[in-house]
């Protein structure tokens, strides 16, 4: 059977090669319906959903493939360009590499592309049994020249907290802090929460965004 692009780009014994082993071509995610990642996904525990919607800060839950599977109201508003993107399919990485609006939404776009590719490499190493991860990587390698460039950098790491700059279409520039909390369970879910410094311009703009809900 021909090797996938993810396998070919990896080489023997590499992170990608281990994660892509045995990946059938029919697992490609290009035609996946956004409905498969709805906020009411049955695999998300009800307690996690209640915690998410009780939070006053913008928050979303992502899976190991960096797709948004649930969001509270302010999280939906904050990341609306991703959630509403035809190319994104609720996937942060599809949005980054396939939607031209990503360059406007992320002021530090070049840095974001490096981080996202490195995160996918990390998840591929952590979850070699997840057939959808190499399928996603294969699809991006076929679809995006920029992703191919970032993938060949062979960076392997992930940020669990830090600064996040966004340029929101409704309220403008936002300088936020984010925390990524890993949730227990085999699904690889994480809770991503965003905050602004009290009294800052970004805090006021988050309040403006909340007022639109």
């Amino acid at each position: 059977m021909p090797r996938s692009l993810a396998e070919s780009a990896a080489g023997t014994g590499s992170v990608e090669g281990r994660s892509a082993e045995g990946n059938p071509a029919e697992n490609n995610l290009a035609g996946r319906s956004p409905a498969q990642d709805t906020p009411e996904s049955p695999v998300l525990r009800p307690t996690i959903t209640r915690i998410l919607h009780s939070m006053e800060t913008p928050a979303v839950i992502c899976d190991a493939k960096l797709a948004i599977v649930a969001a509270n109201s302010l999280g939906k508003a904050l990341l609306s360009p991703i959630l509403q993107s035809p190319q994104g399919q609720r996937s942060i990485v599809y949005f980054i590499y396939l939607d031209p609006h990503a360059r406007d939404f992320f002021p530090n776009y070049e840095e974001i592309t490096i981080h996202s590719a490195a995160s996918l490499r990390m998840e591929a190493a952590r979850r070699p049994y997840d057939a959808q991860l190499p399928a996603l990587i294969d699809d991006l390698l076929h679809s995006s020249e920029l992703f191919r460039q970032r993938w060949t950098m062979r960076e392997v790491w992930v940020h669990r907290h830090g600064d996040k700059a966004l340029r929101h279409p409704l309220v403008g520039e936002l300088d936020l802090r984010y925390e990524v909390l890993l949730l227990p369970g085999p699904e690889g879910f994480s809770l991503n929460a965003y905050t602004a410094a009290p009294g800052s311009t970004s805090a006021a703009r988050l309040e403006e965004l909340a007022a639109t809900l």
Side-chain angles (χ1 to χ4, degrees):
M1 178 182 295
R3 302 176 77 201
S4 69
L5 278 179
E7 292 172 304
S8 299
T12 303
S14 70
V15 168
E16 312 91 289
R18 291 194 300 272
S19 67
E21 184 177 356
N23 168 38
E26 58 267 23
N27 280 339
N28 191 285
L29 298 181
R32 180 167 57 91
S33 168
Q36 290 178 267
D37 286 327
T38 59
E40 294 75 27
S41 171
V43 297
L44 196 61
R45 296 193 302 278
T47 51
I48 298 299
T49 300
R50 288 196 293 271
I51 291 171
L52 174 68
H53 290 289
S54 70
M55 297 175 67
E56 296 182 358
T57 61
V60 301
I61 292 177
C62 294
D63 65 14
K65 298 176 289 297
L66 305 183
I68 299 171
V69 299
N72 63 14
S73 296
L74 195 49
K76 290 178 184 177
L78 180 66
L79 301 185
S80 57
I82 299 174
L83 293 169
Q84 297 171 5
S85 167
Q87 295 91 342
Q89 301 185 60
R90 307 179 72 88
S91 166
I92 296 173
V93 287
Y94 273 142
F95 176 75
I96 290 170
Y97 289 104
L98 302 183
D99 192 323
H101 295 98
R103 292 181 179 272
D104 295 327
F105 188 58
F106 295 112
N108 55 342
Y109 177 75
E110 296 300 324
E111 182 180 351
I112 289 292
T113 63
I114 296 172
H115 289 181
S116 60
S119 294
L120 281 181
R121 277 186 178 274
M122 176 66 77
E123 291 300 333
R126 292 175 63 242
R127 303 174 63 83
Y129 51 83
D130 188 339
Q132 286 191 332
L133 268 169
L136 169 63
I137 293 164
D138 240 18
D139 192 34
L140 287 168
L141 286 168
H142 278 99
S143 305
S144 170
E145 172 61 30
L146 180 57
F147 181 78
R148 288 194 291 273
Q149 295 172 9
R150 296 296 183 253
W151 194 249
T152 58
M153 293 174 66
R154 311 183 79 82
E155 298 282 350
V156 184
W157 42 266
V158 64
H159 284 169
R160 299 299 185 196
H161 59 87
D163 299 319
K164 179 71 68 177
L166 301 175
R167 187 180 295 115
H168 196 276
L170 292 182
V171 297
E173 301 277 351
L174 293 166
D175 293 314
L176 307 175
R177 291 285 296 177
Y178 70 91
E179 295 284 343
V180 179
L181 308 177
L182 298 180
L183 302 177
E187 301 89 355
F189 290 146
S190 63
L191 174 63
N192 301 4
Y194 303 86
T195 63
S200 66
T201 299
S202 293
R205 289 176 177 173
L206 280 182
E207 290 180 2
E208 292 177 24
L209 187 61
T212 67
L213 301 177

